[in-house]
Amino acid sequence: MEKNHQKLLESLLNDNSFNNWAVKNNKNDIRFWNQWVLDHPEAIETVDLAKSIILGIPFEEKEIDPHKVDHALQKVLNSIENRKTEPTKRVSFGPKKIFWQLGIAATVLILIGCLFFLTRNTEVIHKTGYGEIIELKLQDGTLVTLNGNSQISYDKKNSRDITLKGDAYFKVKPIPATNTKFWVNTEDLRVEVYGTQFHVNTRDEKTNVLLDEGSVHLLLENGGFMKMAPGEFVSFAKEQNTLTHEKVDSTLPYSTWKESTYIFNNIGLKEVMKYVEQTYGIPFEFIDKELTKKTISGGIPNHDLNICLSAIEKSTGTRIVLKDKKLLIIKEN
């Protein structure tokens, strides 16, 4: 096999999306790879070989029917009970055979239990507590910075199809050999990318996406579809069916988060405090309601609560006091 074919073969075998296509496990992957094969007829021989290797060691996940397990166990027990009614067999051979059959029954049940556990426990979950920020490197090399009180989850066989709850920043690792997609799923939409950098926030019953580099496609839960370019902001709420898609500029009110820093642009102080509450789990209250009209533009560090609050105070000319497990926003003296 030529060197380039060998390289492609290794890439295909290590590609979770291709593996899904080979075993017909994911509709999106099946559709993508069917088209890829059509576009690359020169690679059909290598693709067939890779598929054959994968199918040569199939593993099918099945639910274990508890009635079948009970039936098999009862069959063994009945066999043991029948042997107890045969005196000659019980005296000369019974105990050995009973223990032997019990051992087989126990072994079978243990193996069934282990198989059931291993086939069901395939989900990987990364979760942060309030005020906790973690940086993750997924199996494919994608980097994810997960903000406080957030979570991503995915099947351990495919880390390029994840579900997000909360707030995260992504630097997706491209796979040039196969151009495999990366998916981020929320309750409102699916983000489809190849290799790019973007921010996704699922707070307040909507999903916000801000694209820094590359391009992404959004598949909205209402059936809509759109393409984003760098510097664009999209906000979509499935329940209210509201959509915002605009180019980011100095007049657009938006917020994002990157490298332990909130980035606000013409955002009201009330909305800013919502970010603090969601990240650190501390409710807030405005003692002077007029302060809700103040706006913030610029970066606010959020890796430490005290530093974050101090920056907000300086930006808005307010005081924020922690009292009885609540943040009170008052006028500066």
Side-chain angles (χ1 to χ4, degrees):
M1 182 180 292
E2 297 179 5
K3 186 176 181 180
N4 59 334
H5 286 283
Q6 179 64 34
K7 185 176 180 180
L8 176 59
L9 177 62
E10 294 175 358
S11 177
L12 294 174
L13 292 176
N14 290 318
D15 193 306
N16 290 323
S17 175
F18 181 83
N19 278 257
N20 287 338
W21 173 78
V23 299
K24 299 180 179 180
N25 189 40
N26 183 294
K27 291 182 179 179
N28 291 313
D29 292 329
I30 292 172
R31 183 164 54 250
F32 171 77
W33 283 102
N34 283 344
Q35 185 60 49
W36 192 91
V37 171
L38 290 175
D39 295 338
H40 300 81
E42 74 284 356
I44 290 180
E45 182 180 350
T46 307
V47 169
D48 286 341
L49 177 57
K51 183 178 179 181
S52 298
I53 293 174
I54 293 170
L55 296 180
I57 48 172
F59 184 79
E60 183 178 2
E61 180 177 330
K62 294 182 177 180
E63 295 282 349
I64 304 299
D65 188 344
H67 297 293
K68 291 185 178 180
V69 175
D70 292 340
H71 178 72
L73 178 59
Q74 190 60 49
K75 191 174 181 180
V76 172
L77 294 176
N78 289 340
S79 176
I80 294 172
E81 187 63 29
N82 289 337
R83 292 180 184 281
K84 287 184 178 180
T85 62
E86 302 175 14
T88 55
K89 292 183 179 181
R90 185 180 69 245
V91 173
S92 57
F93 304 106
K96 291 183 179 180
K97 290 190 175 181
I98 289 173
F99 288 124
W100 179 73
Q101 297 219 20
L102 282 173
I104 292 178
T107 301
V108 169
L109 288 175
I110 290 172
L111 290 175
I112 290 174
C114 291
L115 178 62
F116 178 78
F117 176 78
L118 291 173
T119 57
R120 296 292 294 174
N121 189 28
T122 62
E123 186 179 34
V124 177
I125 298 176
H126 297 286
K127 189 174 182 179
T128 56
Y130 286 114
E132 179 185 16
I133 298 173
I134 62 174
E135 294 185 352
L136 304 167
K137 186 174 183 179
L138 304 184
Q139 298 169 346
D140 67 329
T142 291
L143 300 177
V144 181
T145 305
L146 198 59
N147 200 1
N149 188 29
S150 301
Q151 172 183 305
I152 62 169
S153 60
Y154 55 88
D155 191 289
K156 64 182 179 181
K157 294 181 290 186
N158 184 13
S159 64
R160 290 183 73 86
D161 193 345
I162 75 168
T163 298
L164 169 67
K165 294 181 180 180
D167 199 13
Y169 190 85
F170 298 87
K171 294 182 179 179
V172 175
K173 178 75 172 181
I175 303 180
T178 58
N179 215 23
T180 307
K181 297 177 183 179
F182 187 99
W183 298 90
V184 178
N185 304 279
T186 76
E187 292 186 355
D188 301 292
L189 51 82
R190 276 169 63 84
V191 185
E192 172 191 333
V193 301
Y194 292 97
T196 186
Q197 298 184 29
F198 58 99
H199 170 253
V200 182
N201 184 312
T202 68
R203 315 281 198 195
D204 297 329
E205 299 181 346
K206 61 184 176 182
T207 297
N208 296 336
V209 181
L210 182 64
L211 180 61
D212 283 345
E213 296 181 10
S215 65
V216 302
H217 294 169
L218 302 182
L219 285 68
L220 309 183
E221 281 295 322
N222 65 0
F225 172 86
M226 63 178 54
K227 183 176 181 180
M228 291 182 66
E232 289 186 340
F233 172 82
V234 168
S235 180
F236 177 69
K238 176 181 66 174
E239 295 300 325
Q240 293 77 28
N241 197 31
T242 57
L243 173 67
T244 299
H245 182 190
E246 297 188 43
K247 186 75 173 179
V248 172
D249 58 30
S250 60
T251 62
L252 176 68
Y254 75 91
S255 58
T256 185
W257 172 82
K258 181 180 180 182
E259 297 176 351
S260 301
T261 301
Y262 286 126
I263 301 173
F264 299 114
N265 192 66
N266 290 328
I267 296 297
L269 184 54
K270 186 176 181 179
E271 293 298 313
V272 171
M273 294 308 299
K274 281 185 179 180
Y275 273 82
V276 176
E277 178 179 2
Q278 291 162 347
T279 300
Y280 290 95
I282 305 175
F284 64 91
E285 179 183 347
F286 281 87
I287 303 302
D288 186 340
K289 305 302 180 183
E290 288 295 314
L291 297 178
T292 60
K293 299 178 180 180
K294 288 183 173 291
T295 60
I296 292 182
S297 293
I300 300 293
N302 81 326
H303 63 280
D304 180 271
L305 178 59
N306 291 329
I307 296 176
C308 178
L309 296 179
S310 178
I312 294 174
E313 288 176 331
K314 292 178 180 179
S315 299
T316 59
T318 60
R319 287 184 59 215
I320 304 176
V321 180
L322 179 60
K323 184 178 181 180
D324 297 328
K325 298 182 179 180
K326 180 182 287 188
L327 295 173
L328 305 181
I329 299 93
I330 59 180
K331 285 184 177 181
E332 186 177 27
N333 293 333

